[in-house]
Amino acid sequence: MKLVVQVKLLPTPEQAMALEVTLRTCNRAATYASQVAFAKGLKDRNSLQKAVYADVKATFGLSAQPVVRAVKKVVDAYTTLKASLEAGNLDAAYTSQRCPRCGHTERANRPTRDHFCCRRCGLAGPADIVAGVNVRDRARSAWVLVTAPAPSP
């Protein structure tokens, strides 16, 4: 039989600030690792870790465990994103009609093939860029699923 105890941390304000700084540093390290993975086409954990481990430790001042976790976070996110794309979960429908700022979606937001202009908030720009931002946001949702803590029983 396995006993599990949930503990809620009650950090002091200084400890909370240190935790937040560490979390932000780990996220920046993961972003860096993701950029390297994309640029070099690295898809597996071992090759990405070999490529970025020393740089991430030196650049971000992290110890071994957070560096390894950041690399795993990137690889897991790419795996989930690939599975979502293959399963069709990142549907591109309406991405060029949806405003990434306010979420308003309508055909009139795209007055021409190449231009986007939100009828609600006025955000304007190239339709392809707006669609790309919306697809990126959907992909980030997949990233959140990978990095979210497991729900409590």
Side-chain angles (χ1 to χ4, degrees):
M1 182 161 124
K2 183 177 179 182
L3 269 177
V4 177
V5 177
Q6 282 189 325
V7 177
K8 183 175 182 180
L9 296 177
L10 299 173
T12 64
E14 295 82 19
Q15 292 169 329
M17 179 66 84
L19 286 170
E20 183 177 349
V21 167
T22 301
L23 177 63
R24 291 185 187 281
T25 302
C26 288
N27 285 338
R28 284 195 320 274
T31 298
Y32 171 77
S34 178
Q35 291 168 343
V36 171
F38 181 77
K40 294 185 176 183
L42 303 173
K43 294 179 174 59
D44 67 288
R45 186 174 172 181
N46 288 337
S47 60
L48 180 58
Q49 191 164 316
K50 285 178 186 175
V52 300
Y53 183 82
D55 272 353
V56 170
K57 276 189 78 169
T59 303
F60 298 96
L62 295 171
S63 62
Q65 185 177 9
V67 172
V68 170
R69 302 309 305 162
V71 169
K72 184 175 183 334
K73 181 179 181 179
V74 169
V75 172
D76 287 350
Y78 278 119
T79 301
T80 299
L81 180 59
K82 180 181 177 189
S84 293
L85 287 171
E86 288 171 357
N89 293 341
L90 290 179
D91 186 12
Y94 304 105
T95 55
S96 64
Q97 296 176 13
R98 181 185 181 279
C99 177
R101 181 190 293 163
C102 70
H104 179 68
T105 304
E106 78 170 273
R107 184 179 295 240
N109 282 350
R110 192 170 173 183
T112 67
R113 182 188 187 302
D114 296 327
H115 189 70
F116 175 89
C117 184
C118 180
R119 308 275 288 171
R120 182 182 292 163
C121 74
L123 178 74
D128 290 343
I129 300 296
V130 171
V133 169
N134 285 321
V135 170
R136 179 203 63 197
D137 292 346
R138 289 181 187 179
R140 283 185 176 165
S141 295
W143 177 275
V144 168
L145 291 174
V146 170
T147 59
S152 300

